[in-house]
Amino acid sequence: MKLYRTDKGFFGEENNRFWRVDAPSWDALLADADLHGRVRAAGQSGSKLETLDGMTLLSPVSTQEVWAAGVTYFRSRSARIDESKDAGGGSFYDRVYVAERPELFFKASGRRVVGPFGEVRIRKDARWSVPEPELTLAVHSSGKILGYTIGNDMSSRDIEGENPLYLPQAKIYDGSCAMGPCLLLEGGDLPKETAIRIRIERGGASAYSGQTTLAELKRPVTELVSYLLRENSFPEGVFLMTGTGIVPHDEFTLAGGDRISISIENIGTLENVVAAG
Ligand code: DO4
Ligand code: MG
């Protein structure tokens, strides 16, 4: 079962049938620890729609903070070691990959998050920009995982590689995060074989594609959540991106007009375009 946030309200979905979910606000839904039961109950009464055509899909982030985990896949560890070797930062990435404590960083406020089909941005002062396709958790204030969505942790690899202390500038800027298209309302673990895929098109042709599966994610998602909630409260809930397992080859950098499609099995596809410089 899925939940969509649109400009015309909130909609549950199962087997391509949609139904309205009444709530005073998106935040009120994310404050409900039994969101699954609430959306299910709304679907048992009332009429169903065939499509959401004519509605604009919005990002699932309202007043929530967005945090991100890093170096949770071997591919991410290797890519960061390479990009920062001249700066002497390489060993940090290896150490955090094997450490008990994960890397967690603040990624975005709702205002910086772009929804489905919106424009993500690359920094004008960066030379090497990439998307990072990441399974993203919608977490209730209690720490319970309410559901899953797709996130894009846009990153400036040259800035991050120059000095690990530049991480916030490489990661947090206007249009640096995309999320959607819905919440998959599952509380339990997603299957390890769940595939994450990315396709980048430039001028109608494929510029890059890659894939991984959740089997490559080194840490249980519940471990990432428990570290995030240590000494930190999120009264409105929080979104947690779980890190990337797909990093394009070193010659690849994003350009204005690129179309980015990220798919995660059972959730859907998040499509965005890179804003023109
Ligand atoms: O340590 C830098 C960021 C790592 C990251 O964003 C990722 O692994 O996805
Ligand atoms: Mg990332």
Side-chain angles (χ1 to χ4, degrees), residues 68-73 76-77 80 83 93 96 103 105 132 134 153 155 160 167 171 242-245:
V71 199
T72 49
Y73 290 78
S76 177
R77 167 200 168 275
R80 317 273 166 198
E83 77 188 11
Y93 294 111
V96 83
E103 177 194 5
F105 57 91
E132 293 190 356
E134 306 193 8
D153 170 21
S155 303
E160 175 186 273
L167 187 78
K171 294 287 191 179
T242 58
T244 189

Side-chain angles (χ1 to χ4, degrees), residues 88-169:
S91 73
F92 289 106
Y93 294 111
D94 187 41
R95 279 158 55 188
V96 83
Y97 183 72
V98 296
E100 192 178 327
R101 183 188 291 273
E103 177 194 5
L104 294 174
F105 57 91
F106 180 79
K107 172 63 190 176
S109 48
R111 183 177 76 68
R112 293 193 180 84
V113 182
V114 171
F117 309 108
E119 288 192 337
V120 289
R121 293 186 59 257
I122 50 183
R123 290 183 67 114
K124 289 196 178 60
D125 58 356
R127 287 174 287 100
W128 188 15
S129 301
V130 293
E132 293 190 356
E134 306 193 8
L135 175 71
T136 301
L137 317 174
V139 183
H140 185 259
S141 57
S142 63
K144 176 181 175 184
I145 296 175
L146 295 172
Y148 299 90
T149 187
I150 303 173
N152 177 356
D153 170 21
M154 292 284 287
S155 303
S156 313
R157 291 192 65 191
D158 55 326
I159 296 176
E160 175 186 273
E162 189 178 334
N163 189 321
L165 297 180
Y166 292 157
L167 187 78
Q169 295 176 74

